[in-house]
């Protein structure tokens, strides 16, 4: 991940993302591409909020990397909620291009698995968002994931399934696809609200 994004995360979440000492992220950094920034940001936001306000044990990340095409977020500490948050972002990473953050899927090339959008699968260059745009998208992702997890009683499996399945009320796009491009989170939060209150979609 580019150093500007890494250092933003480490500065924003110093308790969670240690950069000094044995086993810290300093040794390896974030071993994945920029496209998963919003997922990592959302995970950090939800984990830190939970650790700080629920008086829970402080979670510490030990490694953040790509493995078998998906995101892996290794950590110490935490409870069932933290486990659900991490499980959810790891599952969703398989539907988000690791290079640019656009909707994607796991593709195989020469025996390697990677999460790519169509453009990157065709090896087309895509514009990279600026830091403030990444942060805005990360905030939206955190709000949507927090609300969706609550809606599905903190089941990462159910939440990931809903977020990645085409929804009639969303023009047969998945809620995750709606998050792209900008401001799609409002539509997704509205969908979540309507389901929560049993309103027609
Ligand atoms: Zn892409």
């Amino acid at each position: 991940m580019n150093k500007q994004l890494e250092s933003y995360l480490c500065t924003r979440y110093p308790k969670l993302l240690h950069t000094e000492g044995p086993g810290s992220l300093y040794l390896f950094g974030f071993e994945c591409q920029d496209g998963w920034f919003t997922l990592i940001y959302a995970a950090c936001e939800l984990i830190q909020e939970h650790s700080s306000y629920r008086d829970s044990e402080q979670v510490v990340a030990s490694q953040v990397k790509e493995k078998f095409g998906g995101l892996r977020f290794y950590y110490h500490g935490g409870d069932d909620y933290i486990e659900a948050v991490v499980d959810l972002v790891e599952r969703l990473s398989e539907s988000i291009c690791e290079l640019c953050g656009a909707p994607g899927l796991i593709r195989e090339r020469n025996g390697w698995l990677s999460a790519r959008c169509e453009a990157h699968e065709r090896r087309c260059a895509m514009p990279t968002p600026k830091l403030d745009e990444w942060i805005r998208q990360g905030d939206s992702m955190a709000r949507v994931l927090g609300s969706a997890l609550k809606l599905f009683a903190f089941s990462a499996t159910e939440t990931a399934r809903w977020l990645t399945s085409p929804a009639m009320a969303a023009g047969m796009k998945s809620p995750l696809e709606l998050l792209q491009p900008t401001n799609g989170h409002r539509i997704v939060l509205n969908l979540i609200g309507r389901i929560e209150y049993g309103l027609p979609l």
Side-chain angles (χ1 to χ4, degrees):
M1 186 184 288
N2 101 42
K3 291 294 164 201
Q4 189 191 24
L5 297 182
E6 283 191 12
S7 92
Y8 179 81
L9 287 170
C10 291
T11 307
R12 186 176 169 106
Y13 305 103
K15 292 180 183 168
L16 172 60
L17 305 173
H18 279 200
T19 51
E20 286 171 19
S24 74
L25 287 167
Y26 179 76
L27 287 176
F28 302 105
F30 297 80
E31 299 171 281
C32 64
Q33 303 295 325
D34 299 355
W36 288 342
F37 174 84
T38 51
L39 283 176
I40 297 169
Y41 178 103
C44 292
E45 186 72 18
L46 295 174
I47 291 170
Q48 194 52 60
E49 187 184 57
H50 186 76
S51 297
S52 305
Y53 296 113
R54 312 272 164 124
D55 211 17
S56 317
E57 180 189 6
Q58 175 62 49
V59 175
V60 177
S62 52
Q63 203 174 5
V64 181
K65 62 188 279 191
E66 179 277 334
K67 191 174 181 185
F68 302 132
L71 174 68
R72 296 291 183 275
F73 191 109
Y74 299 109
Y75 62 95
H76 307 292
D79 53 17
D80 290 351
Y81 176 79
I82 304 295
E83 198 177 316
V85 168
V86 171
D87 189 3
L88 178 61
V89 296
E90 290 184 349
R91 285 167 189 267
L92 294 179
S93 68
E94 298 184 359
S95 303
I96 292 182
C97 178
E98 188 192 352
L99 297 177
C100 69
L105 47 88
I106 295 281
R107 302 172 195 265
E108 188 262 330
R109 188 190 285 264
N110 302 328
W112 289 97
L113 297 174
S114 44
R116 295 289 183 268
C117 64
E118 278 186 28
H120 276 118
E121 178 62 8
R122 295 196 312 270
R123 296 175 185 264
C124 298
M126 298 287 288
T128 315
K130 297 254 188 304
L131 177 63
D132 55 353
E133 173 60 17
W134 279 123
I135 295 167
R136 210 189 47 71
Q137 288 185 19
D139 277 327
S140 302
M141 182 69 82
R143 285 176 61 193
V144 166
L145 299 194
S147 303
L149 266 175
K150 205 167 138 204
L151 177 66
F152 290 98
F154 306 103
S155 158
T157 316
E158 292 301 314
T159 308
R161 184 178 299 146
W162 183 75
L163 285 169
T164 55
S165 302
M168 190 95 80
M172 295 319 284
K173 282 188 167 188
S174 70
L176 197 64
E177 283 175 287
L178 281 183
L179 289 175
Q180 303 277 338
T182 53
N183 294 329
H185 68 285
R186 292 209 183 90
I187 304 170
V188 181
L189 288 172
N190 185 269
L191 275 179
I192 291 171
R194 296 186 80 82
I195 296 171
E196 208 164 15
Y197 291 102
L199 297 170
L201 295 173

